[in-house]
Amino acid sequence: MEAEKLEFFNPKVPLDFQYNNRVGIGIERYLRGLGERKILGSKCPQCGKVAVPPRTVCGKCSATMGEFVEVSQEGTLENFTVGHVQLVKGQRLEKAESPYVVGLVRLDGVDSLLLARISGVDPSDLKVGMRVKAVWRDEVQGDYADLDHFQPA
Amino acid sequence: MRNVGIVGVGYCPRFVSKRTDVCIPEMVSEAVEAAFADCGLGPEDIDAVIFGNMHPFEGVNMPHLWAVEHMRALGKPVMRIATGGTTGMTAFHAAYYHIVSGLHDVVMVVTFEKHSEGDAQVGLLGIITPEAMAMMMAGIDLTGAGGMGAQGGGSAGAITYQAVSWMHKSGATIDHIDAIAAMERRNAARNPYAHLKDPEATPEKIAKTPMISYPVRFGHVCPTTDGATVCILASEERAAKIADKVAWVWGVASCASDPTTGNLIEGLITDPAEQRQCVIAAQEAYKRAGIEDPKKEIDYVEIYNGFAHQTLMYLELVGMCEVGEAHKLLEKGELEISGRLPVNASGGVVSTNAIGTSALNRVTECALQIMGKAGERQVEKEVHKALAHGWGGLMQYVSITILADKPKKL
Amino acid sequence: MEETRIVHGYWELSTFNFNIEARGINLMLEGFKEKKLKGIKCHQCGMVYLPGPFYCRKCHVNIDEPVEISDHGTVRTYTVQYADIRGEPMPEPRVSAMVQFDGCDSWVMGVVQCDPKDIHVGMRVKIKWKEQTVGNMQDMEAFVPE
């Protein structure tokens, strides 16, 4: 077949899907906890590890986790990055108004890392291992945005 | 080659329209726990996990990796399989290949669908290829109620043409479709994992349900279900140590044919009722299983029937009876739980359709019948060999699995 | 069990770009302008497709031989729709069929203008063309009994 003989249609598929995904037992508990300015985790009955946000199966030993525990709101910055672009509506990247910091925080007594925004510190002063604490938004509503960011303790 | 057997089956506690409490991995976890409880195995016993669900239905691109902890697959190989309606059985076949090859000894198949999180009707439209969309650009109202809409409206649309063509060839009437639908709803009432159950279902009651598109009535159509199914397979050596009752895999086969949906731009050349891939897959499976006369040797059949007429149509195509004979067997009561050739004692897909699980449920239901663990839906006759059928793809893919109560002579 | 909240996700297929080989459909639409059906025939096995693919789906060779097909044909299977894709009742039942035109191996779908009581497998139909054809699918207004 000669390439120049090809003709193409470029159909636009007029289908846009909407999904309604359930957050499930673990995340629902977590979000309700945030509404009370509490950070909840789940504790493994077998190995004792604590995961935040809570999950229903242990990521260490595969046991079923049913116990939800309140954890400390202070911890250690384990890792971070400084963002200069941001994702708009999940579709395109734009330059951020100012550089921002996203970090992984290990709350005291917790075995998992929590992804969170880090504020109140100049990016050049960030150090792995520094102590941070949770900062809540003024009016908590029981959703993800309640735990606004972490700042140096 | 070596023998492979099913040692454990697990269903999530209920198959319903909406699981509003759990997320996808949490629902999967329920079925995994049930399967472990069934055979006494734990996460440490599993060598590899095969995962299956419909591609776009929940909008999660990698549910198999999201659910790694919940299906206790940490540190193990995980593979996702998707072939449309047949997904569950193709995943089962993949697990079989894993073991029969000698690479792994114990493999778990995990399937789910959580229809309430997506839009199944639009999701089924998603099985239409961009080729069909090119036809829309040329002026066909595919999503609307036009003639092409009947084909375009997911498999429910395409299936109406199949039903009429099959009725024309077999001599069956819409009364037979009402009757088989009623039988399956009654069977479903005996199955704790069925979705639509009606112990009082009669052909007359089904005939009163609204006509959607002749000859398909509301009562002939599968529901959209939330549910998860897990099946654990093991090599012969391991199976003997794990379980007293094992359902042995004797033959597996799959076959793809021309797409009957979606290939509009290249000309539809397939009679939607011809389903020649089903004949080919069944013959291949019989050959591999060493079955010469399925009519005599197969005791029990599970047919993937998204729509009620398909039970009868596929019984003919897999060779369990002649073309034009299935509706006569139905009239004589031979397809009932108490009959000579019991079919879909589970209630079939027409009663429960969490799509990713549906083709695997055909296999697990055959396995439970062979093991004698089917509870109230256990058929009266003894089941030594059973055939599970799966239908999917763009209406053009069929998988067959043949199970037996003894290991195959190698 | 208590209900947990929903988060919404979106998958906008309308933002995707697809490239579809379109010689067959373009040939067919060109034919519509003259109220003719134009398909493609396999020079090896003789299969006639409408619209035509650029390869034979039976014997997998490239094909490009245009062939004119009669606009009279036979109903191979049909349906009568009473509800639309969302299950809403239609204002009135709509008959549609897969028709095999004389001299063609493909089956073509379309609306049949006839009484739902009359439709049957084997019924002879022909295309009712729009008075002014422009080269799109709507040129083929419907199938009507011969």
Side-chain angles (χ1 to χ4, degrees), chain C residues 32-105:
Chain C
F32 281 8
K33 289 182 187 167
E34 309 160 31
K35 304 189 181 180
K36 284 180 176 160
L37 291 181
K38 286 186 177 170
I40 293 180
K41 182 176 177 177
C42 173
H43 55 82
Q44 191 163 298
C45 71
M47 282 285 289
V48 175
Y49 300 88
L50 179 74
F54 63 87
Y55 65 95
C56 177
R57 285 161 61 191
K58 293 283 181 197
C59 46
H60 309 292
V61 295
N62 289 333
I63 56 173
D64 57 4
E65 184 188 332
V67 57
E68 200 179 315
I69 296 161
S70 164
D71 63 357
H72 290 243
T74 306
V75 169
R76 292 299 177 203
T77 182
Y78 66 89
T79 185
V80 186
Q81 276 176 265
Y82 295 86
D84 68 14
I85 188 169
R86 290 288 172 196
E88 300 298 324
M90 307 260 291
E92 51 190 63
R94 174 177 237 158
V95 185
S96 67
M98 293 178 82
V99 171
Q100 187 173 17
F101 290 102
D102 300 344
C104 179
D105 292 293

Coordinates of all heavy atoms in Angstrom, one line a residue, chain C residues 32-105:
Chain C
F32 N -23.1 8.2 -2.6 CA -24.4 8.7 -2.2 C -24.8 9.9 -3.0 O -26.0 10.1 -3.2 CB -24.3 9.1 -0.7 CG -24.4 8.0 0.3 CD1 -24.4 6.7 -0.2 CD2 -24.5 8.2 1.7 CE1 -24.4 5.6 0.7 CE2 -24.6 7.1 2.5 CZ -24.5 5.8 2.1
K33 N -23.8 10.8 -3.4 CA -24.2 12.0 -4.1 C -25.0 11.6 -5.4 O -25.8 12.4 -5.9 CB -22.9 12.8 -4.5 CG -22.3 13.5 -3.3 CD -21.1 14.3 -3.7 CE -20.3 14.8 -2.5 NZ -19.0 15.3 -2.9
E34 N -24.6 10.4 -6.0 CA -25.3 10.0 -7.2 C -26.4 9.0 -6.9 O -26.9 8.3 -7.7 CB -24.3 9.4 -8.2 CG -23.1 10.2 -8.5 CD -22.0 9.3 -9.1 OE1 -22.3 8.3 -9.7 OE2 -20.8 9.6 -8.8
K35 N -26.7 8.9 -5.6 CA -27.7 7.9 -5.1 C -27.3 6.5 -5.5 O -28.1 5.7 -6.0 CB -29.1 8.2 -5.6 CG -29.5 9.6 -5.2 CD -31.0 9.9 -5.5 CE -31.3 11.4 -5.1 NZ -32.7 11.8 -5.4
K36 N -26.0 6.2 -5.3 CA -25.5 4.8 -5.6 C -24.8 4.3 -4.4 O -24.2 5.1 -3.6 CB -24.6 4.9 -6.8 CG -25.3 5.0 -8.1 CD -24.3 5.1 -9.3 CE -25.2 5.1 -10.6 NZ -24.4 5.7 -11.7
L37 N -24.8 3.0 -4.2 CA -24.0 2.3 -3.2 C -22.7 1.9 -3.8 O -22.7 1.1 -4.7 CB -24.7 1.1 -2.6 CG -26.0 1.4 -1.8 CD1 -26.6 0.1 -1.3 CD2 -25.7 2.3 -0.6
K38 N -21.6 2.3 -3.2 CA -20.3 1.9 -3.8 C -19.4 1.2 -2.7 O -19.1 1.8 -1.6 CB -19.5 3.1 -4.3 CG -20.1 3.6 -5.7 CD -19.2 4.7 -6.3 CE -19.8 5.0 -7.7 NZ -19.1 6.2 -8.2
G39 N -19.1 0.0 -2.9 CA -18.3 -0.8 -2.0 C -17.0 -1.2 -2.6 O -16.6 -0.7 -3.6
I40 N -16.3 -2.0 -1.8 CA -15.0 -2.5 -2.3 C -15.0 -4.0 -2.4 O -15.5 -4.7 -1.4 CB -13.8 -2.0 -1.4 CG1 -13.8 -0.4 -1.6 CG2 -12.5 -2.6 -1.8 CD1 -12.7 0.2 -0.8
K41 N -14.5 -4.6 -3.5 CA -14.5 -6.0 -3.7 C -13.1 -6.6 -3.5 O -12.1 -5.9 -4.0 CB -15.0 -6.3 -5.1 CG -15.1 -7.8 -5.5 CD -15.7 -7.9 -6.8 CE -15.8 -9.3 -7.3 NZ -16.5 -9.5 -8.6
C42 N -13.0 -7.8 -2.9 CA -11.7 -8.4 -2.8 C -11.4 -9.1 -4.1 O -12.2 -10.0 -4.6 CB -11.7 -9.4 -1.6 SG -10.2 -10.4 -1.6
H43 N -10.3 -8.8 -4.7 CA -9.9 -9.4 -6.0 C -9.6 -10.9 -5.8 O -9.6 -11.7 -6.8 CB -8.8 -8.7 -6.7 CG -7.6 -8.6 -5.8 ND1 -6.6 -9.6 -5.6 CD2 -7.2 -7.6 -4.9 CE1 -5.7 -9.2 -4.8 NE2 -6.0 -8.0 -4.3
Q44 N -9.3 -11.3 -4.6 CA -8.9 -12.7 -4.4 C -10.1 -13.6 -4.1 O -10.2 -14.7 -4.7 CB -7.9 -12.7 -3.2 CG -7.2 -14.1 -3.1 CD -5.9 -13.9 -2.3 OE1 -5.0 -13.2 -2.6 NE2 -5.9 -14.6 -1.1
C45 N -10.9 -13.2 -3.1 CA -12.0 -14.1 -2.7 C -13.4 -13.7 -3.2 O -14.3 -14.4 -3.0 CB -12.0 -14.3 -1.2 SG -12.5 -12.9 -0.2
G46 N -13.4 -12.4 -3.7 CA -14.7 -12.0 -4.2 C -15.6 -11.3 -3.2 O -16.7 -10.9 -3.5
M47 N -15.2 -11.3 -1.9 CA -16.1 -10.6 -0.9 C -16.3 -9.2 -1.3 O -15.4 -8.5 -1.6 CB -15.4 -10.7 0.5 CG -15.5 -12.0 1.2 SD -17.1 -12.4 1.9 CE -17.2 -11.2 3.3
V48 N -17.6 -8.7 -1.1 CA -17.9 -7.3 -1.4 C -18.3 -6.6 0.0 O -19.2 -7.1 0.7 CB -19.0 -7.2 -2.4 CG1 -19.4 -5.7 -2.6 CG2 -18.6 -7.8 -3.7
Y49 N -17.6 -5.6 0.3 CA -17.8 -4.9 1.6 C -18.5 -3.5 1.3 O -18.1 -2.8 0.4 CB -16.5 -4.7 2.3 CG -15.7 -5.9 2.6 CD1 -14.8 -6.5 1.8 CD2 -15.9 -6.5 3.9 CE1 -14.1 -7.6 2.1 CE2 -15.1 -7.6 4.2 CZ -14.3 -8.2 3.3 OH -13.5 -9.3 3.7
L50 N -19.3 -3.1 2.3 CA -19.9 -1.8 2.2 C -20.0 -1.3 3.6 O -20.8 -1.9 4.4 CB -21.3 -1.8 1.5 CG -22.0 -0.5 1.5 CD1 -21.3 0.4 0.4 CD2 -23.5 -0.6 1.2
P51 N -19.4 -0.2 4.0 CA -18.3 0.5 3.3 C -17.1 -0.4 3.2 O -17.0 -1.3 4.1 CB -18.1 1.8 4.1 CG -18.7 1.6 5.4 CD -19.7 0.5 5.3
G52 N -16.2 -0.1 2.3 CA -15.1 -1.1 2.1 C -13.9 -0.8 3.0 O -13.5 0.4 3.2
P53 N -13.3 -1.8 3.5 CA -12.0 -1.7 4.2 C -10.9 -1.7 3.1 O -11.2 -2.0 2.0 CB -12.0 -2.9 5.1 CG -12.8 -4.0 4.3 CD -13.8 -3.2 3.5
F54 N -9.7 -1.4 3.5 CA -8.6 -1.4 2.6 C -7.9 -2.7 2.5 O -7.0 -2.9 1.8 CB -7.6 -0.2 2.8 CG -6.9 -0.3 4.1 CD1 -5.7 -1.0 4.2 CD2 -7.4 0.4 5.2 CE1 -5.1 -1.1 5.5 CE2 -6.8 0.3 6.4 CZ -5.6 -0.4 6.6
Y55 N -8.3 -3.7 3.4 CA -7.8 -5.0 3.3 C -9.0 -6.0 3.4 O -10.0 -5.6 4.0 CB -6.8 -5.3 4.4 CG -7.4 -5.2 5.8 CD1 -7.9 -6.4 6.4 CD2 -7.7 -4.0 6.4 CE1 -8.5 -6.3 7.6 CE2 -8.3 -3.9 7.6 CZ -8.7 -5.1 8.2 OH -9.3 -5.0 9.4
C56 N -8.8 -7.1 2.9 CA -9.9 -8.1 2.9 C -9.9 -8.8 4.3 O -8.8 -9.3 4.7 CB -9.8 -9.2 1.8 SG -11.1 -10.4 2.0
R57 N -11.0 -8.8 5.0 CA -11.0 -9.3 6.3 C -11.1 -10.8 6.3 O -11.1 -11.5 7.4 CB -12.2 -8.7 7.1 CG -11.8 -7.3 7.5 CD -12.9 -6.4 7.9 NE -13.7 -7.0 9.0 CZ -14.8 -6.6 9.4 NH1 -15.4 -5.6 8.7 NH2 -15.4 -7.1 10.4
K58 N -11.3 -11.4 5.1 CA -11.3 -12.9 5.0 C -9.9 -13.4 4.7 O -9.4 -14.3 5.3 CB -12.3 -13.4 4.0 CG -13.7 -13.1 4.3 CD -14.2 -14.1 5.3 CE -15.7 -13.8 5.6 NZ -16.2 -14.5 6.8
C59 N -9.3 -12.7 3.7 CA -8.0 -13.3 3.3 C -6.8 -12.4 3.4 O -5.7 -12.7 3.0 CB -8.1 -13.9 1.8 SG -8.9 -12.8 0.6
H60 N -7.1 -11.2 4.1 CA -6.0 -10.4 4.6 C -5.0 -9.9 3.5 O -3.8 -9.7 3.7 CB -5.2 -11.1 5.7 CG -6.0 -11.6 6.8 ND1 -6.7 -10.8 7.6 CD2 -6.3 -12.9 7.1 CE1 -7.4 -11.6 8.5 NE2 -7.2 -12.8 8.2
V61 N -5.6 -9.6 2.3 CA -4.8 -8.9 1.3 C -5.3 -7.5 1.1 O -6.5 -7.2 1.4 CB -4.8 -9.7 -0.1 CG1 -4.2 -11.0 0.0 CG2 -6.3 -9.8 -0.6
N62 N -4.5 -6.6 0.6 CA -4.9 -5.2 0.4 C -5.9 -5.2 -0.8 O -5.7 -5.9 -1.8 CB -3.8 -4.3 0.1 CG -3.0 -4.1 1.3 OD1 -3.5 -4.1 2.4 ND2 -1.7 -3.8 1.2
I63 N -7.0 -4.5 -0.7 CA -8.0 -4.4 -1.7 C -8.4 -3.0 -2.1 O -8.3 -2.1 -1.2 CB -9.3 -5.2 -1.3 CG1 -9.9 -4.7 0.0 CG2 -9.0 -6.7 -1.3 CD1 -11.2 -5.4 0.3
D64 N -8.7 -2.7 -3.3 CA -9.1 -1.4 -3.7 C -10.0 -1.3 -4.9 O -10.0 -0.3 -5.6 CB -7.8 -0.5 -3.9 CG -6.9 -1.1 -5.0 OD1 -7.3 -2.1 -5.6 OD2 -5.8 -0.5 -5.2
E65 N -10.7 -2.4 -5.2 CA -11.5 -2.4 -6.4 C -12.9 -2.0 -6.1 O -13.7 -2.7 -5.5 CB -11.5 -3.9 -7.0 CG -12.3 -4.0 -8.3 CD -12.5 -5.5 -8.7 OE1 -11.7 -6.4 -8.3 OE2 -13.5 -5.8 -9.4
P66 N -13.3 -0.7 -6.6 CA -14.6 -0.2 -6.3 C -15.7 -1.1 -7.0 O -15.4 -1.5 -8.1 CB -14.6 1.2 -6.8 CG -13.2 1.5 -7.2 CD -12.5 0.2 -7.4
V67 N -16.8 -1.2 -6.4 CA -17.9 -2.0 -7.1 C -19.2 -1.4 -6.7 O -19.4 -0.9 -5.6 CB -17.8 -3.5 -6.7 CG1 -17.9 -3.7 -5.2 CG2 -18.8 -4.3 -7.4
E68 N -20.1 -1.3 -7.7 CA -21.4 -0.7 -7.4 C -22.4 -1.8 -7.0 O -22.4 -2.9 -7.5 CB -22.0 0.0 -8.7 CG -23.0 1.0 -8.3 CD -23.6 1.7 -9.6 OE1 -22.8 2.1 -10.4 OE2 -24.8 1.8 -9.7
I69 N -23.1 -1.5 -6.0 CA -24.0 -2.4 -5.3 C -25.5 -1.9 -5.5 O -25.7 -0.7 -5.4 CB -23.7 -2.5 -3.8 CG1 -22.3 -3.1 -3.6 CG2 -24.7 -3.4 -3.1 CD1 -21.7 -2.8 -2.3
S70 N -26.4 -2.9 -5.7 CA -27.8 -2.5 -5.8 C -28.3 -1.9 -4.6 O -27.9 -2.2 -3.5 CB -28.6 -3.8 -6.1 OG -30.0 -3.6 -5.9
D71 N -29.3 -0.9 -4.7 CA -29.8 -0.4 -3.5 C -31.1 -1.1 -3.0 O -31.9 -0.6 -2.3 CB -30.0 1.1 -3.6 CG -31.0 1.6 -4.6 OD1 -31.5 0.7 -5.4 OD2 -31.3 2.8 -4.8
H72 N -31.3 -2.3 -3.6 CA -32.3 -3.2 -3.1 C -31.7 -4.3 -2.3 O -30.6 -4.8 -2.7 CB -33.1 -3.8 -4.3 CG -34.0 -2.8 -5.0 ND1 -35.3 -2.9 -5.0 CD2 -33.7 -1.6 -5.6 CE1 -35.8 -1.8 -5.7 NE2 -34.8 -1.1 -6.1
G73 N -32.3 -4.8 -1.3 CA -31.7 -5.9 -0.5 C -32.8 -6.6 0.4 O -34.0 -6.4 0.3
T74 N -32.2 -7.5 1.2 CA -33.0 -8.4 2.0 C -32.8 -8.1 3.5 O -31.6 -8.0 3.9 CB -32.7 -9.8 1.7 OG1 -32.8 -10.0 0.3 CG2 -33.6 -10.8 2.4
V75 N -33.8 -8.0 4.3 CA -33.7 -7.9 5.8 C -33.2 -9.2 6.3 O -33.7 -10.3 6.1 CB -35.1 -7.6 6.4 CG1 -35.0 -7.7 8.0 CG2 -35.5 -6.2 6.0
R76 N -32.0 -9.1 7.0 CA -31.4 -10.3 7.6 C -31.8 -10.5 9.1 O -31.9 -11.6 9.6 CB -29.9 -10.3 7.5 CG -29.4 -10.5 6.1 CD -29.8 -11.8 5.5 NE -29.4 -11.9 4.1 CZ -30.0 -12.7 3.2 NH1 -31.0 -13.5 3.6 NH2 -29.6 -12.8 2.0
T77 N -31.9 -9.3 9.8 CA -32.4 -9.3 11.2 C -32.9 -7.9 11.4 O -32.6 -7.0 10.7 CB -31.3 -9.8 12.2 OG1 -31.9 -9.8 13.5 CG2 -30.1 -8.9 12.2
Y78 N -33.7 -7.8 12.5 CA -34.3 -6.5 12.7 C -34.6 -6.3 14.2 O -34.5 -7.3 15.0 CB -35.6 -6.4 11.9 CG -36.7 -7.4 12.4 CD1 -37.6 -7.1 13.4 CD2 -36.8 -8.7 11.9 CE1 -38.5 -8.0 13.9 CE2 -37.7 -9.6 12.3 CZ -38.5 -9.2 13.3 OH -39.4 -10.2 13.8
T79 N -35.0 -5.1 14.6 CA -35.6 -4.9 15.9 C -36.6 -3.8 15.9 O -36.6 -3.0 14.9 CB -34.4 -4.6 16.9 OG1 -35.0 -4.5 18.2 CG2 -33.8 -3.2 16.6
V80 N -37.5 -3.8 16.9 CA -38.4 -2.7 17.0 C -38.1 -2.0 18.3 O -38.3 -2.6 19.4 CB -39.9 -3.2 16.9 CG1 -40.8 -1.9 16.9 CG2 -40.1 -4.0 15.7
Q81 N -37.7 -0.8 18.3 CA -37.3 -0.1 19.5 C -38.5 0.6 20.2 O -39.3 1.3 19.5 CB -36.3 1.0 19.2 CG -34.9 0.6 19.1 CD -34.0 1.7 18.7 OE1 -33.8 1.9 17.6 NE2 -33.6 2.5 19.7
Y82 N -38.6 0.3 21.5 CA -39.7 1.0 22.3 C -39.1 1.9 23.3 O -39.9 2.7 23.9 CB -40.6 -0.1 23.0 CG -41.3 -1.0 22.0 CD1 -40.7 -2.1 21.4 CD2 -42.6 -0.6 21.6 CE1 -41.4 -2.9 20.5 CE2 -43.3 -1.4 20.7 CZ -42.7 -2.5 20.1 OH -43.3 -3.3 19.2
A83 N -37.8 1.8 23.5 CA -37.2 2.7 24.5 C -35.9 3.2 24.0 O -35.2 2.5 23.2 CB -37.0 2.0 25.8
D84 N -35.4 4.4 24.4 CA -34.2 4.9 23.9 C -33.0 4.4 24.8 O -33.2 3.6 25.7 CB -34.2 6.4 23.8 CG -34.3 7.1 25.2 OD1 -34.0 6.5 26.2 OD2 -34.5 8.3 25.2
I85 N -31.8 4.9 24.6 CA -30.6 4.4 25.2 C -30.7 4.6 26.7 O -30.1 3.8 27.5 CB -29.4 5.0 24.7 CG1 -28.1 4.4 25.2 CG2 -29.4 6.5 24.9 CD1 -26.9 4.8 24.5
R86 N -31.5 5.5 27.2 CA -31.6 5.7 28.7 C -32.9 5.0 29.2 O -33.2 5.3 30.4 CB -31.7 7.2 29.0 CG -30.4 8.0 28.7 CD -29.4 7.6 29.8 NE -28.1 8.2 29.6 CZ -27.0 7.7 30.2 NH1 -27.0 6.8 31.1 NH2 -25.8 8.3 29.9
G87 N -33.5 4.3 28.4 CA -34.7 3.5 28.9 C -36.0 4.3 28.8 O -37.0 3.9 29.3
E88 N -35.9 5.6 28.3 CA -37.1 6.4 28.2 C -37.9 5.9 27.0 O -37.4 5.6 26.0 CB -36.7 7.9 28.0 CG -35.9 8.5 29.1 CD -36.6 8.5 30.4 OE1 -37.8 8.7 30.4 OE2 -35.9 8.3 31.4
P89 N -39.3 5.9 27.2 CA -40.1 5.4 26.1 C -40.0 6.3 24.9 O -39.9 7.5 25.0 CB -41.5 5.5 26.7 CG -41.4 5.9 28.1 CD -40.0 6.3 28.4
M90 N -40.0 5.6 23.7 CA -39.9 6.4 22.4 C -41.3 6.9 22.1 O -42.3 6.3 22.5 CB -39.5 5.5 21.3 CG -38.3 4.7 21.6 SD -36.8 5.4 20.8 CE -37.2 5.1 19.1
P91 N -41.4 8.1 21.5 CA -42.8 8.6 21.1 C -43.6 7.5 20.3 O -44.8 7.4 20.6 CB -42.5 9.8 20.2 CG -41.0 10.1 20.4 CD -40.3 8.9 20.9
E92 N -42.9 6.9 19.4 CA -43.6 5.7 18.8 C -42.5 4.7 18.4 O -41.3 5.0 18.3 CB -44.4 6.1 17.5 CG -43.6 7.0 16.5 CD -44.5 7.5 15.5 OE1 -45.4 8.3 15.8 OE2 -44.3 7.1 14.3
P93 N -42.9 3.4 18.3 CA -41.9 2.4 18.1 C -41.2 2.6 16.8 O -41.8 3.2 15.8 CB -42.8 1.1 18.0 CG -44.1 1.4 18.3 CD -44.3 2.9 18.4
R94 N -39.9 2.2 16.8 CA -39.1 2.5 15.6 C -38.5 1.2 15.1 O -37.9 0.5 15.8 CB -38.0 3.5 15.9 CG -37.0 3.7 14.8 CD -36.1 4.8 15.3 NE -36.0 5.9 14.4 CZ -35.6 7.1 14.7 NH1 -35.2 7.3 15.9 NH2 -35.6 8.1 13.9
V95 N -38.7 0.9 13.8 CA -38.3 -0.3 13.2 C -36.9 -0.1 12.6 O -36.7 0.9 11.9 CB -39.2 -0.8 12.1 CG1 -38.8 -2.2 11.6 CG2 -40.7 -0.9 12.6
S96 N -35.9 -1.0 12.9 CA -34.7 -0.9 12.2 C -34.2 -2.3 11.9 O -34.7 -3.2 12.4 CB -33.6 -0.2 13.1 OG -33.3 -0.9 14.2
A97 N -33.3 -2.4 10.9 CA -32.9 -3.7 10.4 C -31.5 -3.7 10.0 O -30.9 -2.7 9.7 CB -33.8 -4.1 9.3
M98 N -30.9 -4.9 9.9 CA -29.7 -5.1 9.2 C -30.0 -5.7 7.8 O -30.7 -6.7 7.7 CB -28.8 -6.1 10.0 CG -28.3 -5.5 11.3 SD -27.2 -6.7 12.2 CE -25.7 -6.5 11.4
V99 N -29.6 -5.0 6.8 CA -30.0 -5.3 5.4 C -28.8 -5.8 4.6 O -27.7 -5.1 4.7 CB -30.7 -4.1 4.8 CG1 -31.0 -4.4 3.3 CG2 -32.0 -3.8 5.5
Q100 N -28.9 -6.9 3.9 CA -27.9 -7.3 2.9 C -28.3 -6.9 1.5 O -29.3 -7.4 1.0 CB -27.7 -8.8 3.0 CG -26.5 -9.2 2.2 CD -26.2 -10.7 2.4 OE1 -27.0 -11.5 2.9 NE2 -25.0 -11.1 2.0
F101 N -27.6 -5.9 1.0 CA -28.0 -5.4 -0.4 C -27.5 -6.5 -1.4 O -26.5 -7.1 -1.2 CB -27.4 -4.1 -0.7 CG -28.1 -3.0 0.2 CD1 -27.5 -2.5 1.3 CD2 -29.4 -2.6 -0.2 CE1 -28.1 -1.5 2.0 CE2 -30.0 -1.6 0.6 CZ -29.4 -1.1 1.7
D102 N -28.3 -6.5 -2.5 CA -28.0 -7.5 -3.5 C -26.6 -7.3 -4.1 O -26.2 -6.2 -4.4 CB -29.0 -7.4 -4.7 CG -30.4 -7.7 -4.2 OD1 -30.6 -8.2 -3.0 OD2 -31.4 -7.3 -4.9
G103 N -25.8 -8.4 -4.1 CA -24.4 -8.3 -4.6 C -23.4 -7.8 -3.6 O -22.3 -7.5 -3.9
C104 N -23.8 -7.7 -2.3 CA -22.9 -7.3 -1.2 C -22.9 -8.3 -0.1 O -23.9 -9.0 0.2 CB -23.4 -5.9 -0.7 SG -22.4 -5.3 0.6
D105 N -21.7 -8.5 0.5 CA -21.6 -9.4 1.6 C -21.9 -8.8 3.0 O -22.2 -9.5 4.0 CB -20.3 -10.2 1.6 CG -20.2 -11.1 0.4 OD1 -20.9 -12.1 0.3 OD2 -19.4 -10.7 -0.5

